[in-house]
Amino acid sequence: MGTAREILLGLLEMFRAAMPEAEFREALSAKEAFRPGGRVCVMGAVSKESEQGGEWSGKLAFTVYVPRGRGSADDVLDKMAELAKAGEPLFAGVERGAAALDKASGAVAAGCVFTFLRAGSAGGKKVRYPVKINGERCTAAGWKVSEKESGEGIRAIGESEPFYYKESRRFTVEVQGLDFESPEELEGFTLRLGSQRVMYTGCRWKSLSAEGSGVLTAGRRIEIEGE
């Protein structure tokens, strides 16, 4: 099992081979920024890595910079997620942020976080992860979160690329093995995943199986303070 940085370096190499028209590089410090140029540039770094008991998890943060007239950041992120899912067995999901204008470079910037997970075991049983639904504790076998902007960009007269994006986002959560009683009766509920200091609100099921696996959408994601 590779470390988060080893996974990062492997993905960057994979992305370079599959998308030679873009530049992929590791961000060696938090202060490193995109320098204006003619190519799409993607910078990646390890944002979190932890191991406790038999469980390991890691998060890689990527920022895509697209100069005006050079394409769509969403297309680049879609391809990156597709490659990571197919080529990295520990890949668990991706969370996206809204695109916005990078004032320093004039490029459109969009960020995302790739999550990687290796589940351990406890007494021969599969590991369960804590979940809170409407404040009530339960567990799940795992989950995947994706975020997508649903608003439209505002364009200047004569420009093809937006200079500003409305902050209208939609969150989709795929959950596996939820042990909550009668989840199908819930509507407009809140959801908290593991120890994350965020809560999803206005949740509604899109699909749900008898085994407790399903897909839901959330209208908002709010920060939890004071913990």
Side-chain angles (χ1 to χ4, degrees), residues 6 21 31 42 50 52 62 107 120 145 158 169 173 198 207 209:
E6 289 172 340
E21 70 280 2
K31 296 182 180 180
V42 181
S50 63
Q52 186 173 5
F62 294 94
V145 180
R169 304 175 184 178
V173 182
V198 296
S207 63
S209 71

Side-chain angles (χ1 to χ4, degrees), residues 18-35:
M19 293 180 279
E21 70 280 2
E23 178 183 1
F24 293 88
R25 67 174 188 256
E26 181 182 11
L28 298 178
S29 72
K31 296 182 180 180
E32 187 172 353
F34 169 65
R35 296 178 181 177

Side-chain angles (χ1 to χ4, degrees), residues 158-179:
E159 294 286 346
S160 61
E161 293 294 327
F163 67 88
Y164 176 77
Y165 286 82
K166 296 178 182 179
E167 294 186 359
S168 178
R169 304 175 184 178
R170 172 173 294 182
F171 303 93
T172 301
V173 182
E174 299 178 39
V175 63
Q176 298 88 38
L178 186 69
D179 66 355

Side-chain angles (χ1 to χ4, degrees), residues 43-158:
M43 302 180 68
V46 176
S47 63
K48 185 177 181 181
E49 183 172 17
S50 63
E51 185 166 7
Q52 186 173 5
E55 300 175 42
W56 174 92
S57 64
K59 291 181 179 290
L60 304 181
F62 294 94
T63 304
V64 180
Y65 296 91
V66 181
R68 292 193 178 189
R70 293 289 181 175
S72 166
D74 281 341
D75 290 344
V76 178
L77 291 174
D78 287 344
K79 183 64 174 179
M80 290 169 56
E82 178 184 329
L83 290 168
K85 182 177 180 180
E88 176 48 60
L90 298 184
F91 179 77
V94 58
E95 295 184 49
R96 292 192 183 186
L101 180 68
D102 180 57
K103 295 180 180 179
S105 65
V108 174
C112 68
V113 175
F114 286 7
T115 299
F116 303 86
L117 178 67
R118 183 193 66 186
S121 61
K125 299 180 180 179
K126 293 183 178 180
V127 172
R128 305 286 298 179
Y129 301 94
V131 173
K132 281 187 179 181
I133 295 180
N134 282 342
E136 185 175 341
R137 296 178 183 273
C138 58
T139 63
W143 56 75
K144 179 171 65 175
V145 180
S146 59
E147 174 186 353
K148 196 164 187 178
E149 182 189 15
S150 59
E152 295 183 355
I154 299 175
R155 295 174 173 80
I157 296 175

Side-chain angles (χ1 to χ4, degrees), residues 6-23:
E6 289 172 340
I7 292 175
L8 171 65
L9 296 178
L11 287 179
L12 290 175
E13 184 176 353
M14 183 191 305
F15 296 156
R16 292 186 191 108
M19 293 180 279
E21 70 280 2
E23 178 183 1

Side-chain angles (χ1 to χ4, degrees), residues 197-212:
R197 298 184 63 176
V198 296
M199 180 182 293
Y200 297 90
T201 64
C203 299
R204 299 178 185 276
W205 291 109
K206 292 180 64 179
S207 63
L208 184 65
S209 71
E211 293 77 23

